[in-house]
Amino acid sequence: MSSRSSPSPSFLFNAVRRLEVAAGASARLGDTAQAWKPASGPAQALVVTDAFLHRSGLLAPALQSLAAAGWQVRVYDGVLPDPSEAVVLAAAELARGVDLVIGFGGGSSMDTAKVVAVLARPGNTLTLAQLYGVESVRAERLPLIQLPTTAGTGSEVTRIAILTTGEHTKAGIVNSALLADHVLLDATLTLGLPPAVTAATGIDAMVHAIEAYTSALKKNPLSDLLAREALRLLGAHLLRAVEQGSDVTAREQMLIGAMLAGMAFENAPVAAVHALAYPLGGVYHLPHGLSNALVLPHVLRFNRPAAEPLYAELAEVLLPGAGGDDASRCDALLTYADGLCARTGLPARLRDCHIPADALPELARQAMGQQRLLQNNPRPVTEADALAIYQAAW
Ligand SMILES: NC(=O)c1ccc[n+]([C@@H]2O[C@H](COP(=O)([O-])OP(=O)(O)OC[C@H]3O[C@@H](n4cnc5c(N)ncnc54)[C@H](O)[C@@H]3O)[C@@H](O)[C@H]2O)c1
Ligand SMILES: [Fe+2]
């Protein structure tokens, strides 16, 4: 990294209070939850998850441990990918009277759990509508534990929840109240993640690191440190995790990488890759990580005039063999990004995902609605630019 002769710009850094990395530790969740047990009366917890994870038995050891520790547990397993407001409200209804909320799953379950912990807090008068936006209101919540079962979103360490608000639109809640009390990274929970989900969620995490590192407004020395280490870990272990899913070491390194990337973009927010990915998820229901993977190389190419030196620095981290000047190392990063989908078995083009060419102008129009993200992009993006990027990705 280049040395600076002037002080770093001032910055603010948010992080969760407590983080535990321990393979198998979800089977001791009852011990972890002890800290939030009420002094008297029955202890009640709500687990927020999806039906597949509930049915699969992955949650069973955690539920047994909670029961053995004296918790009465309700399970809301109605979370669907890209959770809707209706999902959040139904889960919040089931959470009435609980002492603790536990998010168990991918970003969809963890994001739902965050908002439920606010809405179900006794005495809460806030509505969902009031929560949208960046720190739009002062909120408080019930105690919250998060257990990710994908290595991707980093939602476990962010104060962000993304909800599907209409038929096709997504909106974000960014609020300090959404930072969890305790995060548990248990790699055994991710061993059964199918290759395509491992690839898509892992690339999502890589994009978090890349976009945090080039974030125009809030990039800072600490987010840089986290983004670089995240990208190093994710790059070193992604293929192994895709090809040999039962490798607990690769799985744990992916979880740590995704979490570090989450901490990075929590403080240096993501930009155009995500802004262009969201309409693909909203309108065509592509998985979040796949949407990112499809537009990534084309956004990097667009950003290059503004971000080449930073991309060259990331190439050093991701591709230790890459040498030469900034331009050649940036080339190496772009070549890597170009081949990422093919290497991990994902479709590489929008047309492979049944997106019609005549849908691109509407997608570009919708991407312009993501100004919260676009303002962080190293290069300003117009609607015409967004359309050209989608066309290149098609
Ligand atoms: N809060 C944030 O900071 C943040 C950041 C990025 C994305 N997101 C949001 O997160 C959501 C995407 O989350 P995601 O990519 O983790 O996917 P997800 O939670 O939507 O889950 C995707 C699928 O993977 C399955 N799955 C999860 N864990 C599994 C396991 N261990 N084994 C087998 N299958 C498993 C789920 O059942 C589901 O079918 C989107 O709504 C996105 O907008 C949030
Ligand atoms: Fe993401």
Side-chain angles (χ1 to χ4, degrees):
M1 235 191 313
S2 58
S3 63
R4 293 165 187 253
S5 52
S6 52
S8 302
S10 53
F11 68 93
L12 179 73
F13 195 86
N14 290 300
V16 291
R17 288 177 203 149
R18 205 156 59 157
L19 186 81
E20 184 181 0
V21 180
S26 61
R28 300 190 296 277
L29 190 57
D31 299 341
T32 306
Q34 194 65 26
W36 293 282
K37 237 172 152 187
S40 60
Q44 302 200 58
L46 178 80
V47 175
V48 177
T49 190
D50 67 44
F52 170 77
L53 294 173
H54 194 192
R55 264 199 328 266
S56 70
L58 203 62
L59 180 58
L63 292 180
Q64 280 156 15
S65 170
L66 288 165
W71 287 87
Q72 295 174 6
V73 184
R74 308 171 198 172
V75 178
Y76 178 83
D77 68 2
V79 174
L80 297 171
D82 306 306
S84 64
E85 294 187 323
V87 159
V88 171
L89 295 175
E93 189 58 37
L94 191 63
R96 269 173 207 263
V98 303
D99 307 288
L100 171 67
V101 175
I102 298 167
F104 185 98
S108 299
S109 295
M110 291 190 288
D111 282 8
T112 304
K114 289 175 182 179
V115 187
V116 165
V118 172
L119 295 180
R121 180 177 177 274
N124 169 64
T125 53
L126 293 171
T127 60
L128 252 185
Q130 289 171 294
L131 288 169
Y132 289 112
V134 182
E135 302 290 351
S136 54
V137 281
R138 211 181 108 71
E140 290 181 77
R141 58 155 172 77
L142 286 165
L144 176 66
I145 300 177
Q146 297 279 33
L147 290 87
T149 65
T150 61
T153 67
S155 171
E156 66 275 13
V157 289
T158 71
R159 64 199 156 119
I160 306 166
I162 311 286
L163 302 183
T164 302
T165 45
E167 208 182 325
H168 293 321
T169 46
K170 289 181 118 187
I173 299 173
V174 183
N175 195 298
S176 307
L178 303 191
L179 279 172
D181 293 297
H182 188 102
V183 170
L184 175 53
L185 303 187
D186 174 355
T188 65
L189 298 179
T190 63
L191 296 179
L193 202 59
V197 186
T198 303
T201 50
I203 294 172
D204 180 31
M206 294 177 97
V207 174
H208 295 157
I210 294 169
E211 294 212 284
Y213 199 70
T214 53
S215 196
L217 300 180
K218 295 193 176 157
K219 173 180 167 64
N220 65 71
L222 204 41
S223 65
D224 283 352
L225 193 75
L226 293 162
R228 289 167 64 95
E229 180 61 4
L231 201 59
R232 191 184 70 76
L233 290 176
L234 295 164
H237 298 283
L238 176 67
L239 276 186
R240 176 78 182 162
V242 169
E243 287 163 7
Q244 196 56 251
S246 58
D247 181 337
V248 73
T249 304
R251 291 295 196 179
E252 187 163 272
Q253 297 301 304
M254 289 299 292
L255 267 178
I256 295 174
M259 174 273 292
L260 295 176
M263 284 177 77
F265 89 85
E266 156 64 40
N267 294 283
V270 292
V273 179
H274 274 74
L276 271 72
Y278 279 136
L280 295 170
V283 183
Y284 291 98
H285 304 289
L286 298 191
H288 173 72
L290 175 60
S291 308
N292 276 294
L294 289 164
V295 294
L296 171 67
H298 311 287
V299 174
L300 294 184
R301 210 158 258 122
F302 171 79
N303 283 346
R304 182 175 191 157
E308 185 175 87
L310 294 177
Y311 288 159
E313 289 174 10
L314 290 179
E316 284 169 29
V317 174
L318 195 56
L319 308 161
D325 58 7
D326 280 2
S328 15
R329 282 176 293 139
C330 185
D331 281 342
L333 185 76
L334 287 173
T335 305
Y336 176 90
D338 282 335
L340 201 46
C341 284
R343 282 199 303 283
T344 54
L346 295 179
R349 311 207 57 90
L350 293 181
R351 69 176 143 218
D352 303 334
C353 301
H354 312 293
I355 312 255
D358 62 6
L360 304 185
E362 173 58 19
L363 289 170
R365 199 188 62 75
Q366 288 204 20
M368 285 299 105
Q370 299 289 340
Q371 290 301 323
R372 174 178 75 83
L373 305 178
L374 289 173
Q375 63 173 350
N376 305 311
N377 202 55
R379 186 176 169 196
V381 183
T382 65
E383 192 169 329
D385 295 329
L387 179 58
I389 294 169
Y390 281 129
Q391 283 164 340
W394 193 80

